[in-house]
Amino acid sequence: MSWSGFKKNLNRATTSVLSKTGSIERTTDREFEEEEKRFKNLEQKMEKLHKEASGYAQAVRNMTGSQLKIASTIDQFYDEGAPMGIYGIKYKEAVSKLEQQAQDEVDAAYRTTVLEPVGRYSAYFSEINEAIKRRNKKMIDYDAARTKVRKLVEKPSEDNTKLPRAEHEANGLRESYETMNAQLTSELPKIIDSRVAYLDPSFEAVVKSQLSFSQDAHNTLEGLRQFFPPETEGYELDEAAEGILAQMRELSICGLA
């Protein structure tokens, strides 16, 4: 940064502090401030949406990956000739298919229709924030110039050219500030209002993606139902498990000191 740039930033910082403490008059625009507040609220919500949408995609990958690990481990419990051995193999085949479907759905379709559009929309916020910063800098420069004019009016300088020069500078800064302020005040509502039409397709894609994955998972696992006994009540399962544990407790090895 050049010396002149450093000096300008230092002057702006000083003017900003003085305006906050009421030492100099600060330019305000209620309409702009309201639109900026709405924009900041939208920015926060979009960042949260992108984070949670990414979290969902990762959660699906983690779930299907865990299913496959469980299936691989269960497969190691059974011998090839064991009655449940073939069912373990079929379960592993089923969850392997689910994991591949999840990759196709999440890493391809979901990313294209949800994550990337939301990310592209959010990416524009940095440009808008930069424009707001430039507007604020112009406002600070204008406030400093106005203060300079007021001081020259209250305490005239021996140099009669100082006041006209200061007024000319203040008028130029005012026009520059008002132009950018009016542009942002006009365009921020358009950006905020565009969110609905832009996000509608992504919201629809989220629902369809979840529906498709759930249906695929149900259909794939439903095909395994034929390999297992009819559903039993919870207490029957508890009794069966307790019976097996009782048999284990009766083994001599469990009584060794």
Side-chain angles (χ1 to χ4, degrees):
M1 179 185 293
S2 65
W3 170 250
S4 61
F6 174 77
K7 187 177 180 181
K8 181 178 289 187
N9 286 339
L10 182 60
N11 290 337
R12 284 171 176 160
T14 302
T15 302
S16 179
V17 171
L18 291 174
S19 66
K20 290 179 180 178
T21 58
S23 299
I24 64 174
E25 186 179 356
R26 180 175 181 270
T27 300
T28 59
D29 186 328
R30 299 295 184 188
E31 184 179 2
F32 169 80
E33 291 173 358
E34 181 62 29
E35 295 303 334
E36 181 187 22
K37 182 179 179 181
R38 293 179 62 212
F39 167 72
K40 292 296 184 181
N41 186 38
L42 172 63
E43 182 180 24
Q44 292 177 356
K45 289 180 178 179
M46 288 299 299
E47 289 176 354
K48 183 178 181 181
L49 175 61
H50 189 263
K51 179 180 179 180
E52 292 178 347
S54 299
Y56 167 77
Q58 186 60 49
V60 171
R61 285 192 289 265
N62 290 342
M63 180 183 67
T64 55
S66 296
Q67 283 181 314
L68 185 56
K69 290 179 181 179
I70 291 173
S72 298
T73 302
I74 288 178
D75 186 43
Q76 298 173 13
F77 276 83
Y78 298 109
D79 297 328
E80 292 184 1
M84 292 290 288
I86 186 63
Y87 307 150
I89 294 175
K90 289 188 177 296
Y91 174 66
K92 184 177 180 181
E93 291 174 350
V95 295
S96 296
K97 178 182 177 182
L98 281 178
E99 185 186 41
Q100 185 59 52
Q101 289 174 337
Q103 290 178 358
D104 294 340
E105 185 70 26
V106 174
D107 294 336
Y110 186 80
R111 182 171 300 278
T112 301
T113 59
V114 179
L115 296 182
E116 291 179 358
V118 172
R120 284 196 300 269
Y121 188 78
S122 299
Y124 284 106
F125 293 161
S126 60
E127 297 181 22
I128 299 168
N129 281 318
E130 285 301 317
I132 292 175
K133 288 180 182 179
R134 291 195 298 272
R135 176 263 184 198
N136 291 340
K137 288 179 179 179
K138 292 181 182 294
M139 182 187 71
I140 292 173
D141 292 343
Y142 172 49
D143 286 345
R146 282 199 306 155
T147 301
K148 183 177 180 181
V149 170
R150 179 174 56 80
K151 288 181 178 180
L152 286 171
V153 170
E154 294 174 350
K155 188 178 181 181
S157 172
E158 294 180 359
D159 184 352
N160 294 331
T161 64
K162 278 191 174 182
L163 179 58
R165 289 202 307 268
E167 289 176 335
H168 178 74
E169 180 184 7
N171 288 333
L173 291 171
R174 175 179 57 78
E175 292 177 2
S176 179
Y177 157 71
E178 288 181 348
T179 298
M180 190 162 197
N181 183 69
Q183 182 180 6
L184 282 170
T185 303
S186 172
E187 293 184 358
L188 281 177
K190 298 177 183 178
I191 295 170
I192 296 169
D193 292 342
S194 70
R195 73 194 186 283
V196 176
Y198 187 88
L199 291 177
D200 275 355
S202 291
F203 174 54
E204 180 180 352
V206 167
V207 176
K208 288 183 176 179
S209 175
Q210 293 178 352
L211 176 61
S212 175
F213 176 76
S214 298
Q215 287 179 332
D216 288 342
H218 176 269
N219 293 336
T220 300
L221 295 176
E222 179 68 18
L224 301 177
R225 184 189 294 273
Q226 59 180 313
F227 302 117
F228 296 92
E231 294 183 6
T232 56
E233 297 294 336
Y235 69 87
E236 294 179 355
L237 294 176
D238 290 340
E239 289 180 355
E242 184 60 34
I244 295 173
L245 291 176
Q247 294 176 25
M248 292 176 62
R249 286 193 292 269
E250 293 174 359
L251 297 176
S252 59
I253 192 173
C254 293
L256 294 178

